[in-house]
Amino acid sequence: MVETNGAELTEHEAELYDRQIRLWGLDSQKRLRGARILIAGLNGLAAEIVKNIVLTGVKSVTLLDDASVTEADFCSQFLAPQSSVGSNRAEASLDRAQHLNPMVELKADPGSLASKPDEFFHDFDVVCVIGAPTAEQLRVDGACRAANVKFFTADLWGMFGFSFADLQEHEFAEDISKHKVISKPGERTKSEIVTTTVKRTLQYPPYQALVDFDYREATFLRKLKRTGPALPLLRVLQAFRDEEKRDPDYRRRSEDYTKLLQLRDTLAPELVPDDAFVHVFAQISPAAAIVGGAVAHEIIKVVSQKEAPHRNVFLFDPERCCGFVELVGATE
């Protein structure tokens, strides 16, 4: 079996997390109890991730953000009260997050992601970066790989969302169920389900693999009819952020829409339709809940080392109102 991290549960914790222990086992809950998580970028998507992570009973969660609360946050950021407009977003989110589970150590860091040295990320078991430019995503992933820290990056533009996981070499336990024949010869066939636990290891590529991915390659282009233009759309939205130092703004809708179309024509001509950019202004709460729930679930699986995680890109397509997984830069 996969090793535990030595964390022990108190009697109160065992009672509080009884349902979870029944779901994924005591060893997995002990691993969660010892986990230190960093969430950088406290927008609406991050609020959903924080909520789900805190409720599982991890050791600590650090909220990192140097941005201020704005009216746009009220579309989906439920941790920061409306009275906190103008205050630091991480600090404003701390109180409500703590009330979700007083047994989890919570800390608000009002610093910027860019100001943190590589060594800063080595103190965590999982780092999740949200709303960062490409250069910072690559830098933080590199810092995490140097210390074997699990790295996630995720984003949500309006109704379109994605996440990427770099788990490097990840070891986990997976339950495999098979039917076993138990009847004797000549009798009516009877069977029962037998479950065995298998230890597995998967290799994950760095975030650079997604940055370098060629979505115009013939094999991938054939998939677009089935999955839609999510990856090319992601590339355009990330390029907008890198160039404009911000995301598309509903208050500048006309000029930003024009800029998005220009980037599309340069980066992904004929792959992304014009109407794909209609719903990428301001984060929408239902989409934040879906994508945030998916990301948090993956973090929980990674920390608990229970069941196979996704490999390695999750995309939520608002046109089809469904999420799907892509494997980028690695083989099965």
Side-chain angles (χ1 to χ4, degrees), residues 58-175:
V58 296
K59 177 179 176 61
S60 66
V61 177
T62 298
L63 313 179
L64 173 66
D65 199 339
D66 65 335
S68 298
V69 179
T70 68
E71 290 184 355
D73 287 313
F74 302 148
C75 292
S76 56
Q77 221 287 25
F78 54 84
L79 291 179
Q82 295 191 12
S83 59
S84 65
V85 171
S87 61
N88 177 266
R89 197 158 57 174
E91 294 176 335
S93 302
L94 189 64
D95 187 57
R96 288 183 176 179
Q98 188 67 79
H99 275 83
L100 292 170
N101 192 343
M103 301 185 72
V104 175
E105 300 171 19
L106 279 169
K107 175 185 177 183
D109 187 331
S112 67
L113 182 67
S115 69
K116 301 300 181 184
D118 290 359
E119 294 75 20
F120 171 79
F121 306 101
H122 298 175
D123 292 332
F124 301 95
D125 298 295
V126 176
V127 169
C128 183
V129 174
I130 299 164
T134 303
E136 277 303 293
Q137 291 170 319
L138 291 170
R139 180 183 76 89
V140 176
D141 183 32
C144 290
R145 289 183 74 87
N148 196 29
V149 175
K150 309 302 184 185
F151 172 81
F152 287 82
T153 185
D155 270 303
L156 181 68
W157 292 270
M159 292 285 288
F160 170 73
F162 102 105
S163 71
F164 176 89
D166 176 10
L167 311 182
Q168 296 116 62
E169 182 176 281
H170 180 60
E171 187 178 90
F172 62 96
E174 184 175 24
D175 292 335

Side-chain angles (χ1 to χ4, degrees), residues 22-290:
R22 293 173 184 271
L23 178 62
W24 51 56
L26 180 59
D27 285 345
S28 293
Q29 187 63 45
K30 286 181 179 180
R31 295 188 190 98
L32 284 164
R33 189 66 187 93
R36 302 157 299 169
I37 314 294
L38 171 68
I39 308 294
L42 266 295
N43 56 22
L45 173 60
E48 291 286 351
I49 297 172
V50 170
K51 175 195 71 175
N52 288 290
I53 294 298
V54 167
L55 289 174
T56 63
V58 296
K59 177 179 176 61
S60 66
V61 177
T62 298
L63 313 179
L64 173 66
D65 199 339
D66 65 335
S68 298
V69 179
T70 68
E71 290 184 355
D73 287 313
F74 302 148
C75 292
S76 56
Q77 221 287 25
F78 54 84
L79 291 179
Q82 295 191 12
S83 59
S84 65
V85 171
S87 61
N88 177 266
R89 197 158 57 174
E91 294 176 335
S93 302
L94 189 64
D95 187 57
R96 288 183 176 179
Q98 188 67 79
H99 275 83
L100 292 170
N101 192 343
M103 301 185 72
V104 175
E105 300 171 19
L106 279 169
K107 175 185 177 183
D109 187 331
S112 67
L113 182 67
S115 69
K116 301 300 181 184
D118 290 359
E119 294 75 20
F120 171 79
F121 306 101
H122 298 175
D123 292 332
F124 301 95
D125 298 295
V126 176
V127 169
C128 183
V129 174
I130 299 164
T134 303
E136 277 303 293
Q137 291 170 319
L138 291 170
R139 180 183 76 89
V140 176
D141 183 32
C144 290
R145 289 183 74 87
N148 196 29
V149 175
K150 309 302 184 185
F151 172 81
F152 287 82
T153 185
D155 270 303
L156 181 68
W157 292 270
M159 292 285 288
F160 170 73
F162 102 105
S163 71
F164 176 89
D166 176 10
L167 311 182
Q168 296 116 62
E169 182 176 281
H170 180 60
E171 187 178 90
F172 62 96
E174 184 175 24
D175 292 335
I176 306 296
S177 298
K178 295 182 178 180
H179 284 274
K180 179 182 179 181
V181 177
I182 59 174
S183 56
K184 297 179 181 179
E187 296 181 344
R188 183 178 179 181
T189 301
K190 297 180 181 178
S191 66
E192 63 180 6
I193 297 177
V194 178
T195 301
T196 57
T197 301
V198 178
K199 181 177 177 180
R200 296 182 58 196
T201 302
L202 292 175
Q203 300 290 336
Y204 282 73
Y207 184 67
Q208 187 70 54
L210 182 59
V211 174
D212 295 339
F213 180 70
D214 184 7
Y215 48 77
R216 287 169 289 194
E217 195 270 330
T219 303
F220 179 74
L221 286 176
R222 288 194 291 270
K223 296 176 62 177
L224 287 180
K225 294 181 180 179
R226 176 175 58 85
T227 62
L231 277 175
L233 175 59
L234 171 62
R235 186 71 57 84
V236 172
L237 290 166
Q238 194 69 41
F240 183 100
R241 175 183 295 163
D242 292 342
E243 290 190 14
E244 302 295 321
K245 313 302 180 186
R246 61 177 177 84
D247 286 338
D249 192 330
Y250 66 92
R251 292 164 296 189
R252 307 180 185 180
R253 189 180 188 90
S254 179
E255 60 184 277
D256 284 359
Y257 192 88
T258 300
K259 176 66 175 181
L260 287 166
L261 292 178
Q262 291 172 350
L263 288 170
R264 185 275 315 271
D265 292 341
T266 300
L267 299 172
E270 301 180 359
L271 295 182
V272 182
D274 291 2
D275 59 7
F277 300 107
V278 172
H279 303 297
V280 299
F281 297 86
Q283 296 191 351
I284 308 302
S285 185
I290 294 170

